């Protein structure tokens, strides 16, 4: 990759350096920091990188993982004296509100969401979109923080694998063969050159070199294989049906020791399974590609495969165990890792149930431009984002419709929306549309071109769906053909 491939990549990198200098001077003046991060995989990876960066400089800080903008703004309004907030993997989507909440204090935003509104002068913002770099695909929140951390102290190059985990958590592996691309390539390069990461092409089952085949198959969540992901017994039956030997004498076989012929057989068997459920073969493309292996992690842990590491962070964030995800991201292992692995196991089972519910016809509603999956009170509102991502990875929405997954939280309805690639390539920006529709019903929305979300008042669901459907209908003729 050449640097001049981007419009102003150098400008972006030098801004990262400028922000690192500012952080150093804030530390020197004796201020403390409050890191506020999103509670998904990329958010926790970003929070962990930022925390490790400050720890290395002996700075004083606290870290809070939050569910969304409202909680972030509340923390900003209640900041202690002489404390500088650093918003990571969030903040750019609602600049006016952040400005209002921090008043004339200094604040730092390290984000990859498309900036909306104007930031006041006391806010320092590093965001790829301001340099013509697509934050939805080319760099994640964790990647943005990583570049600042590296500019602050070269030692932080050791955190590059966590930035890779963040990017995979945000599903940025959209290059050919599920490769990370854009600025993410710079980060991957840091990790590979420092012997922290190895990349290979293979079937993308989690734990391909150490998990028994059926366990690897059942552990795989990206792509999500309905009926198999989260269900070892079904995975075992599928392998037996396909006719793949699961044991060699008394020893479980692993994916890495399968012959090319057997891998093809396995791949075709999964395809057949998907077809039997009426799912399109396009998901198969998602099953082959680059494996990102963190070579310094013990081979038998869930951290060895960067995609599974991301699933683990996500599971921690979405089950009230944010602190555990942050600790693992910052390097804790031992008992904490065992606990996090248990959290992931439980999360897999709950996700399998949620997906099974979401796939039932009676829970699905179709509007002109929307496929709506209503999780009501059954799907935990903290799981709805992952449900949407997984259904979308199964192409449930087809080529022309937007997928929405809904669930009720205590005081509002949480909505996660995903667009087919084809509409994004034609210029659709889901984040902007969700922001508009949510605002019309007194809610708040935003996000990326391909993945966005909203929170709306409980009584406004029907109106919101109609408005969003109408807004998309208006937008379609404006898209490139
Ligand atoms: O807030 P943040 O940017 O971290 O969240 C992006 C979300 O969008 C993640 O949950 C990620 O899984 C999802 N996503 C998706 N499909 C894509 C890109 C991102 O579901 N193609
Ligand atoms: O929650 P979910 O992963 O579906 O969100 C997709 C994207 O939309 C994320 O990048 C998230 O930060 C953003 N979002 C937002 N405002 C909301 C809900 C989600 O900007 N109210
Ligand atoms: Zn992110």
């Amino acid at each position: 990759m050449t640097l001049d491939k981007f419009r102003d990549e150098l400008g972006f990198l030098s801004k990262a350096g400028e922000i690192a200098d500012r952080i150093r001077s804030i530390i020197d003046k004796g201020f403390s920091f409050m890191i506020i991060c999103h509670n998904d995989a990329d958010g926790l990876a970003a929070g962990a990188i930022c925390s490790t960066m400050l720890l290395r400089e002996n700075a004083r800080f606290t870290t809070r993982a939050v569910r969304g903008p409202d909680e972030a703004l509340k923390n900003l309004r209640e900041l202690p004296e002489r404390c500088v907030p650093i918003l990571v993997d969030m903040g750019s989507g609602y600049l006016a509100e952040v400005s209002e909440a921090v008043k004339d204090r200094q604040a730092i935003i390290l984000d990859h969401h498309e900036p909306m509104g104007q930031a006041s002068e006391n806010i320092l913002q590093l965001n790829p979109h301001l340099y013509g770099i697509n934050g939805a695909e080319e760099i994640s929140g964790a990647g943005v923080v990583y570049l600042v951390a590296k500019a602050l102290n070269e030692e932080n190059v050791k955190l590059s694998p966590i930035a890779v985990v963040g990017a995979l958590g945000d599903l940025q592996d959209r290059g050919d063969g599920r490769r990370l691309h854009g600025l993410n390539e710079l980060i991957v390069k840091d990790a590979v050159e420092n012997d922290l990461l190895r990349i290979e092409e293979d079937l993308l089952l989690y734990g391909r070199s150490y998990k028994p085949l059926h366990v690897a198959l059942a552990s795989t969540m990206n792509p999500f294989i309905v009926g198999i992901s989260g269900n070892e017994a079904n995975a075992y039956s599928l392998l037996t049906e396909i006719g793949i030997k699961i044991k060699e004498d008394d020893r479980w076989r692993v994916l890495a020791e399968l012959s090319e012929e057997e891998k093809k057989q396995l791949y075709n068997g999964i395809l057949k399974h998907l077809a039997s459920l009426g799912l399109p073969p396009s998901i198969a493309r998602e099953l082959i590609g680059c494996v990102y292996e963190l070579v310094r992690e013990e081979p038998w842990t869930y951290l060895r495969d960067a995609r599974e590491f991301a699933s683990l962070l996500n599971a921690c964030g979405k089950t009230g165990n944010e602190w555990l995800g942050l600790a693992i991201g910052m390097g804790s292992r031992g008992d904490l890792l065992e606990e996090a692995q248990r959290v992931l196991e439980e999360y897999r089972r709950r996700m399998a149930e949620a997906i099974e519910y979401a796939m039932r016809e009676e829970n699905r509603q179709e509007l002109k431009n929307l496929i709506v999956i209503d999780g009501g009170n059954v799907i935990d509102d903290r799981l709805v984002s992952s449900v949407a991502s997984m259904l979308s990875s199964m192409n449930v929405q087809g080529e022309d419709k937007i997928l929405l997954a809904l669930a009720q939280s205590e005081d509002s309805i949480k909505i996660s929306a995903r667009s087919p690639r084809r509409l994004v390539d034609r210029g659709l920006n889901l984040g902007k549309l969700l922001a508009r529709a949510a605002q019309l019903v007194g809610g708040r929305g935003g996000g990326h071109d391909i993945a966005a979300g909203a929170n709306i008042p409980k009584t406004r669901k029907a109106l919101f769906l109609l408005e969003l459907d109408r807004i998309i209908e208006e937008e379609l003729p404006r898209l490139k053909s």
Side-chain angles (χ1 to χ4, degrees):
M1 187 196 64
T2 54
L3 284 182
D4 54 13
K5 192 165 137 192
F6 302 102
R7 243 185 288 159
D8 191 14
E9 186 175 313
L10 289 176
F12 179 74
L13 293 174
S14 77
K15 182 80 180 177
E18 191 189 307
I19 292 186
D21 291 343
R22 181 71 76 87
I23 289 175
R24 175 151 329 275
S25 97
I26 296 170
I27 298 172
D28 291 345
K29 286 187 191 132
F31 280 73
S32 67
F33 296 88
M34 182 184 286
I35 302 167
I36 302 177
C37 65
H38 191 202
N39 68 354
D40 68 357
D42 181 35
L44 292 177
I49 292 173
C50 199
S51 304
T52 310
M53 164 185 94
L54 292 180
L55 198 61
R56 202 186 296 288
E57 305 305 322
N58 289 319
R60 285 180 300 127
F61 66 96
T62 51
T63 306
R64 304 249 160 103
V66 298
R67 283 161 84 150
D70 290 338
E71 219 178 313
L73 292 167
K74 184 167 180 290
N75 275 293
L76 290 179
R77 290 193 195 98
E78 293 167 3
L79 278 178
E81 286 302 308
R82 293 178 62 79
C83 174
V84 176
I86 310 184
L87 287 142
V88 302
D89 190 37
M90 60 192 319
S92 293
Y94 29 94
L95 290 167
E97 282 144 300
V98 172
S99 304
E100 180 270 321
V102 298
K103 303 210 172 60
D104 51 4
R105 282 167 180 270
Q106 288 188 77
I108 298 171
I109 296 178
L110 309 176
D111 194 7
H112 70 134
H113 291 90
E114 207 162 309
M116 303 263 231
Q118 271 295 315
S120 54
E121 274 178 10
N122 43 313
I123 296 180
L124 262 183
Q125 181 180 204
L126 182 63
N127 188 307
H129 291 281
L130 300 173
Y131 298 83
I133 300 163
N134 181 1
E137 285 200 2
E138 298 177 42
I139 186 160
S140 73
V144 174
V145 184
Y146 168 74
L147 292 176
V148 172
K150 192 178 142 192
L152 185 69
N153 189 331
E154 191 55 39
E155 277 280 296
N156 288 326
V157 81
K158 289 182 190 145
L159 303 174
S160 50
I162 308 298
V164 169
V165 167
L168 291 170
D170 262 6
L171 308 182
Q172 296 194 326
D173 49 348
R174 307 308 310 174
D176 283 346
R178 298 203 55 187
R179 196 172 276 278
L180 291 169
H181 70 123
L183 268 182
N184 278 323
E185 271 181 274
L186 282 184
I187 302 171
V188 166
K189 191 163 161 271
D190 278 353
V192 171
E193 284 178 359
N194 285 281
D195 296 326
L196 302 166
L197 183 73
R198 184 167 53 221
I199 305 172
E200 269 178 63
E201 279 204 13
D202 202 348
L203 277 178
L204 294 180
L205 302 191
Y206 287 1
R208 69 199 177 103
S209 53
Y210 56 96
K211 283 191 183 178
L213 258 181
H214 64 292
V215 181
L217 200 49
S219 304
T220 299
M221 301 195 70
N222 172 8
F224 196 90
I225 311 165
V226 188
I228 302 294
S229 296
N231 191 326
E232 281 182 22
N234 285 0
Y236 193 98
S237 310
L238 181 70
L239 288 165
T240 319
E241 251 168 58
I242 299 172
I244 290 186
K245 216 161 90 184
I246 301 175
K247 275 189 166 179
E248 188 78 64
D249 301 324
D250 266 351
R251 190 180 55 77
W252 296 110
R253 296 179 78 208
V254 298
L255 179 68
E257 65 192 284
L258 262 54
S259 66
E260 284 309 308
E261 197 44 49
E262 284 176 308
K263 282 184 186 169
K264 264 192 213 138
Q265 220 181 321
L266 173 56
Y267 178 77
N268 289 331
I270 296 172
L271 266 186
K272 239 168 118 184
H273 165 78
L274 292 170
S276 74
L277 296 169
L279 291 165
S282 57
I283 307 169
R285 270 202 303 271
E286 305 288 313
L287 270 167
I288 301 174
C290 289
V291 181
Y292 291 88
E293 199 175 354
L294 303 194
V295 292
R296 299 285 174 94
E297 301 296 343
E298 299 292 358
W300 55 86
T301 68
Y302 294 2
L303 309 182
R304 181 81 175 195
D305 182 320
R307 284 191 183 83
E308 190 166 28
F309 196 147
S311 291
L312 179 132
L313 292 184
N314 200 38
C316 289
K318 300 299 164 75
T319 54
N321 293 290
E322 294 86 346
W323 66 276
L324 194 51
L326 284 168
I328 301 293
M330 291 178 72
S332 293
R333 298 292 181 264
D335 290 351
L336 287 188
L337 177 55
E338 277 180 27
E339 191 170 344
Q341 298 195 148
R342 278 195 296 275
V343 167
L344 176 56
E345 295 287 354
E346 174 59 20
Y347 173 81
R348 275 187 187 127
R349 273 191 295 276
R350 288 180 59 202
M351 276 305 296
E353 281 168 21
I355 296 282
E356 199 257 318
Y357 179 89
M359 294 295 287
R360 283 190 223 145
E361 281 299 325
E362 68 263 28
N363 300 322
R364 193 181 302 194
Q365 182 189 350
E366 227 172 291
L367 276 72
K368 186 133 194 269
N369 303 297
L370 303 174
I371 301 267
V372 184
I373 311 279
D374 195 343
N377 287 321
V378 179
I379 298 183
D380 184 332
D381 65 301
R382 293 175 302 183
L383 296 191
V384 79
S385 153
S386 308
V387 168
S389 294
M390 281 165 193
L391 293 176
S392 159
S393 80
M394 291 183 255
N395 207 11
V396 164
Q397 72 273 43
E399 295 289 309
D400 306 305
K401 294 199 178 193
I402 303 297
L403 176 85
L404 290 194
L406 276 59
Q408 278 200 25
S409 69
E410 238 165 66
D411 44 13
S412 67
I413 293 177
K414 165 78 175 76
I415 293 153
S416 282
R418 304 291 182 260
S419 166
R421 179 89 248 160
R422 207 172 76 96
L423 291 181
V424 173
D425 290 343
R426 292 175 56 204
L428 183 102
N429 188 321
L430 201 53
K432 289 196 172 139
L433 303 186
L434 266 269
R436 256 169 67 200
Q439 201 181 20
L440 284 174
V441 302
R444 192 201 308 276
H448 305 290
D449 52 9
I450 197 158
N455 290 78
I456 56 162
K458 269 185 175 171
T459 52
R460 297 296 179 88
K461 180 169 81 182
L463 184 62
F464 173 82
L465 294 178
L466 287 176
E467 288 293 356
L468 183 62
D469 200 38
R470 181 185 59 77
I471 288 174
I472 296 170
E473 185 70 16
E474 271 172 26
E475 189 70 10
L476 289 177
R478 296 194 196 121
L479 301 181
K480 291 181 282 207
S481 47

